[in-house]
């Protein structure tokens, strides 16, 4: 019995590692930021218990989606030398797929128990996750598909937090400005920067990413221009509308500058790392003043 429990715990740990915990944490921060920004509108109508329930349901769905993505990324991950459990051969793809299906169903049950609207949003996330990774035409094979998926999933996550907190979909100028800026940052900077280390493997696997089609130099320039342009635009909008989001704007400006330097120096993995660090700072500095 002890051996069975140990094996189950080991497999569970590998499923968690395959689902990319750092990205999962980022989605949790997005969900909570949506709830925190919504609190400026919902006020006393917000509900912490409902927010927590919604967050658990949302993160369970994302766990399933990213675990399924790990199964479908097996060829590319091995070509790119990934150290994740499935690519290493330590976690069976069939087992990971079964766990993904079970946790997705669990998430839907929890979501619909909270509200039909939350259940519907989780269905949308599930469909988006399958379209990104699953056959016959996975969106991940092109940069346009990756950008679309990144923007839609991020946007849904923010408004998932909004609905969980308020019990309805509501908005404010500050919420809309932040959500649009952060979603574009994820879609246009993060979704492209993550392709830099995987150019050779993506080409061998038949992916038509921006880097594969246009080359690494053009991708680096595009990432730099988009990162700086978005950061400046976000700051200008905050200034014009006099919104209390200055700490987030400074985080994005600093992150864009670091990404620009890393791209100019020829680094491959580090620009995506800088993107992620900027994401953490952007959301943390936005949530703390509201809390």
């Amino acid at each position: 019995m002890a051996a069975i429990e140990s094996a189950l715990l080991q497999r569970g740990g590998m499923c968690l590692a395959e689902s990319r915990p750092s990205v999962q944490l980022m989605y949790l921060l997005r969900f909570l930021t949506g709830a925190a920004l919504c609190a400026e509108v919902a006020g006393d109508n917000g509900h912490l218990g409902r927010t927590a329930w919604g967050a658990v349901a949302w993160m369970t769905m994302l766990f399933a989606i990213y675990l399924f993505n790990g199964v479908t990324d097996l060829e590319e991950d091995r070509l790119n030398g990934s150290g994740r459990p499935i690519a290493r051969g330590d976690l069976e793809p069939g087992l990971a797929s079964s766990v993904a299906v079970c946790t997705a169903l669990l998430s839907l049950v929890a979501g619909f128990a909270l509200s039909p609207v939350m259940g519907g949003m989780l269905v949308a996330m599930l469909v988006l996750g399958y379209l990104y990774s699953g056959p016959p035409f996975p969106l991940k094979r092109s940069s346009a598909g990756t950008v679309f998926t990144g923007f839609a999933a991020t946007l849904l996550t923010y408004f998932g937090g909004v609905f969980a907190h308020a019990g309805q979909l509501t908005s404010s100028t500050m919420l809309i400005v932040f959500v649009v800026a952060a979603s574009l940052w994820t879609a246009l900077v993060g979704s492209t920067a993550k392709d830099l280390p995987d150019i050779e493997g993506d080409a061998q696997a038949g992916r038509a990413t921006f880097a594969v089609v246009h080359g690494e130099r053009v991708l680096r320039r595009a990432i730099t221009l988009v990162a700086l342009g978005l950061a400046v635009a976000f700051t200008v909008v905050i200034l014009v509308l006099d919104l209390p989001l200055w700490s987030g704007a400074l985080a994005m400006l600093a992150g864009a500058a670091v990404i620009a330097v890393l791209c100019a120096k020829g680094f491959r993995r580090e620009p995506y790392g800088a993107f992620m660090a900027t994401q953490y700072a952007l959301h943390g500095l936005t949530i703390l003043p509201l809390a």
Side-chain angles (χ1 to χ4, degrees), residues 2-285:
I4 294 175
E5 292 178 354
S6 177
L8 289 174
L9 286 173
Q10 186 180 37
R11 291 294 188 277
M14 285 191 288
C15 285
L16 180 61
E18 187 66 42
S19 70
R20 306 174 199 183
S22 63
V23 179
Q24 298 285 329
L25 177 58
M26 189 63 254
Y27 271 100
L28 177 59
L29 284 174
R30 289 168 182 154
F31 190 94
L32 296 177
T33 301
L37 289 171
C38 168
E40 296 295 300
V41 178
D44 292 337
N45 293 322
H47 195 287
L48 292 179
R50 190 171 55 212
T51 302
W53 183 284
V56 171
W58 204 268
M59 297 313 298
T60 303
M61 178 60 76
L62 282 163
F63 169 82
I65 288 171
Y66 273 94
L67 185 55
F68 176 64
N69 174 255
V71 174
T72 62
D73 270 356
L74 177 58
E75 180 185 1
E76 294 94 324
D77 282 349
R78 285 181 173 170
L79 288 170
N80 290 316
S82 171
R84 290 202 296 270
I86 295 178
R88 293 198 314 262
D90 294 336
L91 178 62
E92 302 87 344
L95 174 62
S97 297
S98 298
V99 173
V101 170
C102 291
T103 50
L105 291 174
L106 181 62
S107 170
L108 291 177
V109 170
F112 278 105
L114 180 64
S115 163
V117 175
M118 177 59 74
M121 295 176 79
L122 286 166
V123 169
M125 283 293 288
L126 179 60
V127 171
L128 194 62
Y130 182 82
L131 291 176
Y132 178 74
S133 299
F137 306 111
L139 294 175
K140 66 182 181 179
R141 290 193 170 273
S142 71
S143 289
T146 301
V147 167
F148 166 76
T149 306
F151 182 80
T154 303
L155 199 67
L156 271 170
T157 300
Y158 287 122
F159 282 101
V162 168
F163 183 83
H165 181 77
Q168 60 181 336
L169 291 174
T170 185
S171 65
S172 66
T173 300
M174 184 164 65
L175 174 67
I176 292 172
V177 168
F178 181 90
V179 166
V180 170
S183 297
L184 287 174
W185 177 263
T186 298
L188 298 178
V189 181
S191 296
T192 50
K194 75 179 183 63
D195 289 339
L196 268 176
D198 301 333
I199 296 173
E200 290 79 13
D202 286 347
Q204 293 178 53
R207 287 192 179 189
T209 63
F210 187 91
V212 171
V213 174
H214 299 285
E216 183 177 344
R217 179 178 295 181
V218 175
L219 176 62
R220 291 183 183 280
R221 291 175 179 172
I223 292 171
T224 298
L225 290 174
V226 170
L228 292 172
L230 277 175
V232 170
F234 183 39
T235 304
V236 169
V237 171
I238 287 172
L239 175 63
V240 171
L241 298 180
D242 192 26
L243 300 174
L245 295 171
W246 278 104
S247 55
L250 291 175
M252 190 179 287
L253 285 169
V258 172
I259 289 171
V261 171
L262 292 173
C263 284
K265 294 292 185 180
F267 290 100
R268 281 194 161 189
R269 295 190 179 278
E270 286 76 6
Y272 184 74
F275 156 78
M276 286 298 292
T278 303
Q279 285 276 82
Y280 286 126
L282 171 64
H283 290 79
L285 291 172

